[in-house]
Amino acid sequence: MSDDARDILRELLAEALAGTNGNGVTPQVPPPPVAAVHRPATWEAPAGGVERVSLAGDDDLNRFVRDLLTRADRDAILAGHVRFTLGAAAAPPADATRIDRGAVTERTVAAAAKAGGRLVLGPRAVLTPLAREKARALGIEIERES
């Protein structure tokens, strides 16, 4: 390698290690959020507002979708003028056994069968394979929250 090439390489390395990209601009680490980069300066919140939706299970989801199909402001929803956010899920029914965290064993499934026949698992609960088989055999419904 010639001396000129070495000098150029040294300059490029010094510039790269100094944190500039050659234009005197230091790159941001971490980069700004995508929404801040892609959202135009004229962006405003949706005119129709934001509606909070609480979904505790499949029945609530089906009801919500059916309501959407019958709404008069469907065009505003499709255009993005009305937005939806997920609200807090409703509490599980009284006949459900709720497990927030930890291992769900066969013994837990048997207790749920005596209490009413439903298990609601939190995001940190782990269902063991034997407990899953026991629930299937006893007809216990298992619902997992996210």
Side-chain angles (χ1 to χ4, degrees):
M1 185 184 289
S2 69
D3 290 334
D4 291 335
R6 282 192 180 113
D7 290 338
I8 292 172
L9 185 59
R10 282 190 186 114
E11 287 177 28
L12 289 173
L13 283 173
E15 192 174 286
L17 294 174
T20 63
N21 61 4
N23 298 328
V25 178
T26 304
Q28 292 182 359
V29 179
V34 174
V37 174
H38 294 277
R39 185 179 296 152
T42 58
W43 184 85
E44 294 178 7
V50 177
E51 293 182 25
R52 188 179 252 357
V53 179
S54 296
L55 303 173
D58 292 341
D59 293 334
D60 289 344
L61 178 61
N62 284 327
R63 193 174 308 111
F64 173 68
V65 171
R66 289 180 197 285
D67 289 344
L68 281 180
L69 293 174
T70 60
R71 286 178 68 148
D73 59 348
R74 282 189 355 194
D75 292 335
I77 294 170
L78 291 173
H81 299 297
V82 178
R83 300 202 48 211
F84 301 95
T85 61
L86 191 58
D95 65 340
T97 302
R98 179 175 171 78
I99 309 295
D100 288 320
R101 61 188 169 107
V104 179
T105 62
E106 290 176 279
R107 187 176 295 159
T108 309
V109 171
K114 289 180 184 174
R118 270 189 75 201
L119 269 174
V120 178
L121 305 180
R124 296 177 62 197
V126 178
L127 185 66
T128 65
L130 290 174
R132 182 181 323 241
E133 288 179 24
K134 179 93 168 184
R136 223 179 266 142
L138 294 175
I140 304 295
E141 180 183 340
I142 298 174
E143 181 180 332
R144 185 171 286 280
E145 293 180 344
S146 50

